């Protein structure tokens, strides 16, 4: 017996208590734009308003998802990567990192990291593994570099190459929180042959509607976004061998047959640690 109800609380109930259904959340809106069903009415309303401000915003989510698939397929098939640390997982949808990787190499191991309670609740139910490989999911924050690496080491062999996946997550780290230092600390802890896969919303005078959409989001949603220029996004790859075609619109990173490389203000790249 205990006088502390929290000590015996069901973990699922504890997660549900952390979900804020009164304010739109980026992971749920992203899921809405991708055609998923894991969102609330407040997310749909905000998502539709953002789409009014920037009608092609839904293309960002699709372009980012296709970029993930192409990058993972390259890393598995051409670079021999069998370990992935995917931070800022988002709500599970089609072709998650482990599904793409294990389709080509069933022995691949993937650790997902997120701190959103709705993501955690769904990830634990949906992110299963091929028998030969393994997946895990950590409730942790990108900023806690040492803690993430320590816990990921229970699943990944950090003495062997790892692909660090940071898709659409560094935008939530403000300039006053040393975003470049955070990414560098992760890559410094990983061995030669490891790769960084990163995507980031950009700001550019050519697309002022993107700035309008971000302004609306930061006034009404959570967490706040920090936009960066293409040049500032490229800085995350300093010290790495940047793979062709460099840091470009996600839709234009090695498009495959059937892809439609329409320019979007979500830029991405892949870099290799020598």
């Amino acid at each position: 017996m205990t006088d502390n109800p929290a000590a015996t609380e069901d973990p699922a109930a504890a997660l549900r208590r952390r979900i804020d259904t009164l304010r739109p959340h980026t992971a749920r809106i992203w899921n809405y734009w991708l055609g998923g069903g894991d969102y609330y009415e407040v997310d749909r309303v905000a998502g539709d308003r953002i789409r009014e401000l920037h009608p092609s915003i839904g293309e960002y989510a699709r372009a980012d998802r296709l970029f993930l698939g192409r990058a993972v397929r390259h890393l598995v098939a051409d670079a021999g990567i069998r370990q992935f640390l995917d931070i800022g997982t988002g709500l599970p949808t089609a072709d998650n990192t482990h599904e793409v990787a294990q389709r080509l190499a069933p022995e691949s191991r993937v650790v997902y990291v997120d701190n959103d309670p709705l993501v955690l609740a769904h990830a634990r139910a949906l992110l299963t593994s091929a028998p030969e490989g393994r997946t895990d999911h950590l409730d942790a924050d990108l900023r806690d570099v040492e803690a993430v690496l320590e816990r990921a080491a229970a699943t990944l062999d950090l003495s062997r190459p790892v692909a660090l996946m940071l898709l659409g997550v560094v935008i939530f780290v403000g300039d006053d929180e040393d975003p470049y230092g955070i990414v560098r600390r992760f890559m410094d802890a990983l061995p030669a042959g490891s790769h960084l896969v990163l995507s980031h919303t950009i700001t550019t005078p050519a697309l002022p509607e993107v700035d309008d959409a971000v302004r609306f989001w930061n006034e009404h949603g959570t967490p706040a976004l920090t936009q960066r220029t293409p040049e500032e996004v490229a800085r995350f790859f300093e010290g790495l061998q940047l793979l062709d075609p460099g840091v470009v619109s996600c839709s234009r990173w090695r498009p495959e047959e059937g892809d439609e490389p329409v320019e979007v203000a979500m830029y991405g790249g892949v870099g290799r640690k020598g």
Side-chain angles (χ1 to χ4, degrees):
M1 297 292 291
T2 176
D3 293 327
N4 179 10
T8 58
E9 185 175 18
D10 175 22
L15 281 175
R16 284 194 295 272
R17 283 194 305 102
R18 288 169 52 191
I19 297 172
D20 183 356
T21 62
L22 301 179
R23 293 188 69 190
H25 192 282
T26 181
R28 302 191 307 248
I29 291 179
W30 207 251
N31 182 264
Y32 170 57
W33 285 333
L34 282 170
D38 296 315
Y39 58 88
Y40 296 97
E41 179 66 9
V42 66
D43 305 307
R44 184 194 65 76
V45 171
D48 287 346
R49 177 58 181 145
I50 292 171
R51 194 146 44 189
E52 289 174 9
L53 293 168
H54 185 32
S56 64
I57 190 69
E59 296 298 325
Y60 292 23
R62 288 184 283 276
D64 198 47
R65 176 59 46 165
L66 290 172
F67 168 62
L68 180 150
R70 293 194 300 269
V72 171
R73 284 192 291 274
H74 163 75
L75 292 173
V76 173
D78 300 325
I81 297 294
R82 297 294 184 270
Q83 301 189 109
F84 295 82
L85 180 56
D86 188 336
I87 305 179
T89 307
L91 285 161
T93 181
D95 283 342
N96 301 289
T97 298
H98 76 284
E99 293 171 325
V100 179
Q102 293 181 349
R103 201 173 293 144
L104 295 172
E107 71 276 18
S108 297
R109 294 187 166 211
V110 180
V111 171
Y112 293 99
V113 181
D114 210 296
N115 63 355
D116 178 74
L118 187 62
V119 172
L120 294 166
H122 283 267
R124 287 170 179 160
L126 297 178
L127 298 181
T128 57
S129 174
E132 301 92 332
R134 186 174 170 188
T135 62
D136 196 7
H137 202 290
L138 308 181
D139 180 0
D141 191 283
L142 167 67
R143 300 165 185 81
D144 297 330
V145 178
E146 287 73 23
V148 169
L149 290 169
E150 180 180 357
R151 295 176 62 192
T155 299
L156 307 178
D157 179 354
L158 300 185
S159 69
R160 301 176 61 190
V162 174
L164 175 64
M165 312 288 291
L166 298 176
L167 275 71
V169 64
V170 185
I171 57 176
F172 304 120
V173 181
D175 289 333
D176 60 341
E177 298 178 288
D178 192 21
Y180 298 103
I182 289 171
V183 174
R184 191 176 307 112
R185 282 158 58 201
F186 272 110
M187 294 307 299
D188 285 348
L190 300 177
S194 294
H195 287 69
L196 170 65
V197 182
L198 182 145
S199 66
H200 198 299
T201 304
I202 64 158
T203 178
T204 170
L207 293 169
E209 65 272 20
V210 177
D211 297 343
D212 293 338
V214 170
R215 245 187 321 270
F216 173 85
W217 173 258
N218 284 343
E219 290 172 2
H220 299 91
T222 183
L225 310 182
T226 298
Q227 287 176 281
R228 296 183 171 96
T229 65
E231 294 76 19
E232 288 171 328
V233 176
R235 277 186 57 198
F236 286 107
F237 295 92
E238 286 184 357
L240 304 177
Q241 176 192 351
L242 190 59
L243 276 57
D244 290 335
V247 177
V248 295
S249 175
C250 283
S251 59
R252 301 189 186 281
W253 195 88
R254 303 191 180 190
E256 298 172 349
E257 186 177 353
D259 291 346
E260 298 180 8
V262 178
E263 184 78 10
V264 296
M266 175 70 77
Y267 271 41
V270 179
R272 182 183 186 278
K273 180 175 180 178

